[in-house]
Structure formats: structure tokens, C-alpha cells
Amino acid sequence: MGSRSIIEPFRIKSVEPIRMTTHDERKRFLEQAGYNPFLLRAEHVLIDLLTDSGTGAMSAEQWASIMRGDESYAGARSYYRLLDVVADIFGFRYVLPTHQGRAAERILFSSTCKPGDVVPNNTHFDTTRAHIEHVGARAVDLPIPEGRRPADIHPFKGNMDLDALDALIGEVGADRIPLVMLTVTNNSGGGQPVSMANVRGVRAICDRYRIALYIDACRFAENCWFIREREEGYAQTSPREIARELFSYADGCTMSAKKDGLVNIGGFLACNDEALAKQESRLLILTEGFPTYGGLAGRDLEAMATGLEEVLHEDYLHYRIASTAYLGRHLTEIGVPIVQPPGGHAIYIDAAAMLPHIPARMFPGQALVAELYLEGGIRAVEVGTVMFGSTDPQTGEETTAAMELVRLAIPRRVYTQSHIDYVHEVMGDVFARRERIAGLRMTWQSPPLRHFTARFEPL
Ligand SMILES: *Cc1c(COP(=O)(O)O)cnc(C)c1O
């Protein structure tokens, strides 16, 4: 049994064709897109690993939920179903539906933070950081040291550095820290999990200083599976019970249901504080909608409630984490350097280690992304100097990122093992000719978030 393949725990009843293009076509499409995969047409991509956000496949039961959705403006049945599911899994009393995660972030941070405040996190996701900075507060990343070193192996590389948290609170004062946040799994840190012991440790520090703890819950189910597999004492605990314990330590959460909600759009903000929930509802009404639908249709609420139930199924999580590890293992076998160990939702290739002849200012990650598309129609994304660097407008000098990574994000329930085999075969062919891959020159950019629209030329 143990050595058998871990199969996709579903069969396929509706298919969407994908089309192979020729090398000449891809060369033309890539030139037209200025060597930026965000500017490609999706229909020109064969295997799309740009993101795992909102790109998953819904189940037959979720499509049935779409038909059951109650489209009443106020007090819809679908809202109360979502409320019940969130209360049962996350244990929070107040739930504000939002159209996606960043809307929940905007409402949370504009209700709790003022200029000069500080918000610590294991690692802020880019929209989280942007919303904190937007209200004049400071976002501080406090990952454990192993979290910043791609090749280091650690079972919970997403953990927060507890000593650093304690020191930061001592330095700025608890009254300037409205909340501490933990991102599970740590997306920007490679999809790495946070241990239950670490959550308890953060909670103890928050208790000592009477600071609220919020969880960025986007990939909570994947994190719970890692706890079950890797943390002492959880091997026999169901993912649902692990989730209940994890959220019992928190005062609230933000959620992008485009990840572990298994839907294409949706999110929510939840907490137990009645006064805060009331204040947040007023903002919700202003920009998202009436509190029982947020920015969503009744059918979206219903599909999200069903998705939150399904994402905790053991067969699903077993397959999900094993299939990401499968890609990581095959890439490692052919010598491709990746962030170790593989995370939950994506594999991150260390482009600086793979292409040491391309300096950061010539964008090794972006060059690798272009080659993956040219070689096999695969779309990935650079997470390096294009995304986090900047160009000095006076000198043209490039400020480079700490790491030059390429992310292969795996959409949920979309691709089969043969698609993934194709990905590592293409990667193998690119890897074999890595010494002949040249860097790129950025010909146009528009900061901030320049990576979405920048254009390049090969050197
Ligand atoms: C995607 C994501 C968000 C933002 O959610 P959106 O639905 O894209 O607005 C916040 N935090 C993390 C960790 C995410 O991965």
C-alpha cells in the first residue's frame, strides 16, 4: 500500500481543452508580451502555474451549491450556512463576507490601525503589507532564521521568531501594536507551515502584553495537514480538529477563499469582538455590500461554505500535499535547486543558484520564466528582483531582492500527475541548457507593483 501512487481522489466529469502551441508561436507571443507572463493570453498557455489563487476546480457538490444559493438581498439562507460552517471550523462568532482576501484586510486594518502603529507577522503577504502601510502603520516580518535560507530543511519553516517578537514589543511598546498576525501557511516564505507549538508561543506572548492575535487563514487546511504529518501528538487528529485548535488561539482571521476555500472568488473577515465587528460592518456596507452578502452573490457564499467543508477531507489533503512534494522531489532528482522542503501550494526554484552566470540586475528568475514558456508553454512567476526590486530613476541602478525565486504554483484539483510529469520533463530540458540562458533587460516599468506590467528584452 505504502509504495503505491497517491492518486487524484476524484474523477473528471467536465473537461476544458488546453492547446499545445508551436515553438515559433510561443516565441512570437512572448515577444508581444514583452517577456512578461502576466501579459500573455491565458489561451496561449498550456500548463498555467502562475498562481493557485481562484484557479481551482469546484466539485460537483459545489456546483450544486451554486444552484442552491439564496439571492435575497438581506438575511439569505446561504449567509447563515456560511456562518455555521465558519463557527464550526474556525470558532468565530462574527463573520463578514468579502469579495476576496484583500477586502477583509482593508476593513481589518482601517478599523484597528493608526499611523505609527506596528503589525508583526511571520511574513506579510504583499497585499497585507500594502494595506497596513496604506493606513500609515509599519509591517514587520519576523520569520525564524531558517525561513530566509532556501536550502535549509526545517519541518516548520513558516514559524515566527518568538524572541524577535518579544524584543519588538519591548522596543516599540504594546500600545503601538494593535494586533499580531500569523500567516498559515507562510505564502511569501515558500508556502511553509507554522507549528501548533509556535501558534501557542505567539499566543502566550500576546496574552502577556494583551495584544490581539489574528490569523491570515488563506491556506489553513494545508497548514493543518503539515501539523498532522510533522508535529508530535497530532498523527491521529483529524484536520478539522487541528483547525479548531489552531483558531482557538486567535481573536480573529482574514481569509481569501480563492485558496483553501476552493472557490474562484470569495473571502471573509471573522472575529469574536462584537463592538469591533459592528465597526467593521459599517465599512463593509460602504464598499462591499450589506453584511449578509459582502461583495458576493448568494451562490458564492454557498459554494464557499461547501468548499471549506471539502478542503478538510483527509483524502484531498493527502493528495494535495503529496502532489506538490512529488513535483519537488522530481525537480530535486534532476538537480534543480528548490526551496526545501516543498511547501503546500507551490514549488519555488532558486534561480540565483541555477543560473549563477546571470546577475540579479539581469533578472535570472524572469529569464527562467521566459525559458519555461518557450520550451513547453508553462507559465510560472518570478519572485525576485522584478517583483521586489526597484530602479533608481536618477542612476538607473537596480536595488535587488534577497532571493531570486521562480514560483510554480499548483492550482487545486486542476492538473493530473501526467501534467506534472510534463512540467518536470520540460524543466529538465531547460536545466540541461542552463549555461546558455541569457539574462534580460527591463525596457519599461511602472512602479509600484511593477512586475504586473514591466516589459523586457533578451540580452
Ligand atoms: C492571496 C492572499 C491574500 C490576499 O487575498 P486575495 O484574495 O488575493 O485578495 C492574503 N494573504 C495571503 C497569504 C494570500 O496568499
Side-chain angles (χ1 to χ4, degrees), residues 387-398:
M387 193 178 274
F388 298 121
S390 58
T391 314
D392 187 304
Q394 252 76 57
T395 63
E397 200 82 21
E398 196 65 29

Side-chain angles (χ1 to χ4, degrees), residues 4 31 53-54 79 127 144 214 224 243 276 293 297-298 328 351 359 386 391 394 405 411:
R4 288 191 187 155
E31 277 164 11
S53 180
Y79 168 72
T127 60
I144 55 170
Y214 270 71
C224 289
L276 178 62
Y293 73 85
V386 176
T391 314
Q394 252 76 57
L405 304 177

Side-chain angles (χ1 to χ4, degrees), residues 227-379:
I227 288 176
R228 182 178 148 119
E229 284 196 323
R230 297 180 185 172
E231 193 161 355
E232 177 94 35
Y234 288 95
Q236 305 301 323
T237 317
S238 73
R240 200 182 185 90
E241 283 173 75
I242 295 173
R244 282 196 186 120
E245 183 186 342
L246 193 148
F247 290 101
S248 75
Y249 301 122
D251 297 288
C253 76
T254 56
M255 175 75 186
S256 168
K258 299 173 75 171
K259 286 77 173 235
D260 274 353
L262 298 177
V263 286
N264 304 116
I265 196 76
F268 60 83
L269 170 61
C271 70
N272 282 327
D273 180 334
E274 188 181 0
L276 178 62
K278 279 206 173 116
Q279 186 189 342
E280 290 170 343
S281 291
R282 285 194 287 273
L283 271 180
L284 186 79
I285 293 172
L286 205 58
T287 58
E288 289 280 298
F290 190 72
T292 61
Y293 73 85
L296 298 168
R299 63 184 81 105
D300 298 323
L301 302 173
E302 195 80 36
M304 179 158 61
T306 305
L308 290 169
E309 297 273 4
E310 287 181 1
V311 78
L312 289 165
H313 290 176
E314 291 183 18
D315 285 350
Y316 164 74
L317 283 171
H318 188 205
Y319 137 81
R320 170 71 177 160
I321 301 303
S323 60
T324 304
Y326 175 88
L327 175 59
R329 190 168 69 244
H330 281 84
L331 292 179
T332 304
E333 270 167 18
I334 55 176
V336 177
I338 65 166
V339 174
Q340 295 287 2
H345 69 292
I347 294 297
Y348 292 71
I349 298 168
D350 186 346
M354 176 173 158
L355 304 170
H357 60 286
I358 305 180
R361 64 191 159 78
M362 294 178 189
F363 313 113
Q366 195 73 16
L368 178 56
V369 164
E371 290 301 324
L372 278 171
Y373 179 71
L374 279 177
E375 183 71 37
I378 296 165
R379 177 154 71 170

Side-chain angles (χ1 to χ4, degrees), residues 51-54 98-105 121 123-128 131 181 183-188 216-219 254-259 265-267 345 407:
T51 175
D52 66 319
S53 180
T98 58
H99 78 279
Q100 59 185 86
R102 69 197 68 183
E105 292 171 345
N121 198 325
T123 308
H124 289 88
F125 182 64
D126 55 7
T127 60
T128 322
H131 280 294
M181 221 170 181
T183 305
V184 302
T185 58
N186 188 354
N187 181 7
S188 309
D216 179 335
C218 297
R219 297 179 182 80
T254 56
M255 175 75 186
S256 168
K258 299 173 75 171
K259 286 77 173 235
I265 196 76
H345 69 292
R407 185 180 78 170

Side-chain angles (χ1 to χ4, degrees), residues 67-85:
M67 288 309 295
R68 278 195 294 268
D70 176 355
E71 303 302 343
S72 305
Y73 189 93
R77 189 182 60 239
S78 302
Y79 168 72
Y80 287 102
R81 172 148 182 257
L82 177 68
L83 207 62
D84 287 346
V85 170

Side-chain angles (χ1 to χ4, degrees), residues 202-223:
V202 173
R203 175 77 254 178
I205 294 173
C206 288
D207 279 344
R208 185 140 31 93
Y209 295 99
R210 305 174 128 268
I211 300 174
L213 172 59
Y214 270 71
I215 292 184
D216 179 335
C218 297
R219 297 179 182 80
F220 77 99
E222 292 170 6
N223 200 97

